[in-house]
Amino acid sequence: MKEKQIKILLSAPRGFCAGVERAIEIVEKSLKKFGSPVYVRHEIVHNKYVVDDLRKKGAIFVEELDEIEDKSRPVIFSAHGVPKSVPAQADNYNLNYIDATCPLVSKVHREAENLNKAGFHIILIGHKNHPEVIGTMGQLPVGSIDLIQDKEEAQNYDLENGRKLAYVTQTTLSVDDTKDIIEILKKRYPDIKEPSKDDICYATTNRQMAVKNIAKKCDMFFVIGSRNSSNSVRLVEVAKNSGCEKAYLVHSESEVPYDDINKCSTIGISSGASAPDILVDDFINQLKQKFSVITEEIEIIKENVIFKVPNKLN
């Protein structure tokens, strides 16, 4: 008999954003149009379930273009964006490539290029080695863009006198942490040029706001997502910073901590922008095996953003 009753506060919006949906659709439409295999450079989005599912359908994932065995097959660039050297290499190989870069990441790329042309030295606020950061820095000549990851680096940043300075950011950062870094930069460089519109994407912002909204009411908080998903890891941090210290990432190898959940009356659940709904449903169903569960969805904003796939796939 399930004696223990648990209330689940389901954070909304959660899960897939428009950029992720578009990237997955690009792979599926490419498979339909060109047959299998199609190659994908890097994980199309950072989620093992999604990648495994596309692999079953005929996608082959590679990290670099020289790993592609059959150069006559199409290759898709992931949603995170790529440095300019990658399309150039694809042209050298005569590859048919389709770019699934999220339009909001492409916006940051164009912004950085325009600032560079206007003579600005650029700071990118982001996480080292994340594919989005590699892609954005790879839009510009070496030495014209610097990476700042945290408040300490912002405090110690040193720019040659007389240079015009601007900043852009990775799209999947913590809104609060980024604000703190920007404040330090503005204090130190009052003339620093900021983006006309926030670079952190609407989906990252909305998911963080939704988690903030319910975290303090929860004894534990679970974010369904992958360990290499920046926006999922940020959601765990947001839950902790917003009043729920016991916040955890639930990834493909996680075990459900039933004993800890048994001590709770209310838990919160959200999911990263690359995690499909089925993973949230599976997690809740696992809880239903052990507990009597009441679920309440708390939505703070409706999302209706849609990004079209490239015309050549229609």
Side-chain angles (χ1 to χ4, degrees):
M1 180 173 158
K2 300 175 204 163
E3 289 173 22
K4 175 77 181 179
Q5 190 179 75
I6 302 265
K7 183 168 189 179
I8 294 175
L9 297 181
L10 206 48
S11 180
R14 64 182 175 281
F16 280 175
C17 60
V20 163
E21 282 183 348
R22 174 180 178 267
I24 294 167
E25 193 184 346
I26 284 173
V27 179
E28 288 176 336
K29 284 196 164 176
S30 298
L31 284 163
K32 209 176 220 170
K33 182 163 184 169
F34 304 111
S36 65
V38 299
Y39 287 88
V40 183
R41 185 189 176 278
H42 192 67
E43 292 184 351
I44 187 71
V45 297
H46 283 157
N47 188 272
K48 186 179 185 298
Y49 179 94
V50 171
V51 168
D52 288 348
D53 185 53
L54 293 171
R55 201 177 265 130
K56 280 180 208 142
K57 291 174 182 172
I60 297 174
F61 290 86
V62 295
E63 281 305 308
E64 297 299 343
L65 299 183
D66 54 19
E67 295 167 45
I68 294 173
E69 284 173 22
D70 183 354
K71 302 277 198 291
S72 69
R73 301 302 303 163
V75 60
I76 297 160
F77 302 152
S78 81
H80 312 98
V82 293
K84 279 195 165 160
S85 57
V86 172
Q89 189 187 16
D91 288 336
N92 285 343
Y93 283 139
N94 268 337
L95 286 166
N96 170 19
Y97 64 84
I98 301 136
D99 190 355
T101 301
C102 171
L104 298 176
V105 174
S106 299
K107 173 184 91 75
V108 178
H109 288 184
R110 286 194 301 272
E111 211 169 39
E113 280 189 284
N114 291 338
L115 287 165
N116 177 250
K117 280 178 192 150
F120 284 90
H121 187 78
I122 298 160
I123 287 173
L124 169 62
I125 301 169
H127 296 290
K128 194 179 180 183
N129 296 331
H130 188 279
E132 187 189 323
V133 163
I134 293 166
T136 300
M137 293 185 83
Q139 302 305 305
L140 302 179
V142 175
S144 58
I145 182 165
D146 295 320
L147 181 66
I148 282 183
Q149 299 185 81
D150 54 34
K151 290 189 281 192
E152 192 183 347
E153 287 184 6
Q155 201 62 65
N156 296 328
Y157 182 72
D158 197 18
L159 181 76
E160 287 171 35
N161 274 349
R163 298 192 73 180
K164 294 194 297 181
L165 189 63
Y167 74 84
V168 295
T169 84
Q170 188 179 331
T171 61
T172 52
L173 298 176
S174 155
V175 174
D176 291 339
D177 290 352
T178 308
K179 205 167 74 191
D180 292 345
I181 293 169
I182 291 166
E183 272 175 22
I184 291 169
L185 289 173
K186 281 182 173 173
K187 204 174 274 182
R188 296 192 61 221
Y189 301 101
D191 295 334
I192 191 167
K193 187 172 170 54
E194 55 188 334
S196 52
K197 193 172 176 294
D198 201 354
D199 288 334
I200 296 177
C201 83
Y202 78 94
T204 298
T205 305
N206 290 349
R207 278 150 193 69
Q208 289 180 18
M209 273 168 52
V211 167
K212 262 185 198 176
N213 186 41
I214 59 173
K216 55 187 165 295
K217 302 171 192 164
C218 302
D219 305 308
M220 288 183 88
F221 205 102
F222 297 97
V223 175
I224 318 293
S226 293
R227 282 171 285 194
N228 61 343
S229 160
S230 172
N231 73 83
S232 302
V233 174
R234 299 292 82 73
L235 287 177
V236 176
E237 293 169 1
V238 167
K240 285 181 177 171
N241 293 336
S242 304
C244 185
E245 281 173 29
K246 293 180 176 173
Y248 304 95
L249 186 70
V250 178
H251 52 80
S252 57
E253 289 153 37
S254 296
E255 289 190 10
V256 181
Y258 293 113
D259 291 347
D260 292 333
I261 294 170
N262 197 37
K263 297 171 191 156
C264 300
S265 57
T266 304
I267 65 167
I269 297 177
S270 184
S271 55
S274 44
D277 281 344
I278 190 169
L279 298 182
V280 176
D281 297 341
D282 285 352
F283 185 72
I284 292 172
N285 287 334
Q286 284 177 282
L287 298 182
K288 283 179 176 172
Q289 311 280 312
K290 301 267 186 185
F291 308 109
S292 170
V293 169
I294 301 168
T295 305
E296 184 187 344
E297 183 167 55
I298 299 179
E299 184 174 61
I300 59 155
I301 191 167
K302 275 233 179 299
E303 290 181 346
N304 52 8
V305 180
I306 295 169
F307 295 136
K308 292 189 172 79
V309 301
N311 286 334
K312 62 167 148 182
L313 293 176
N314 288 325

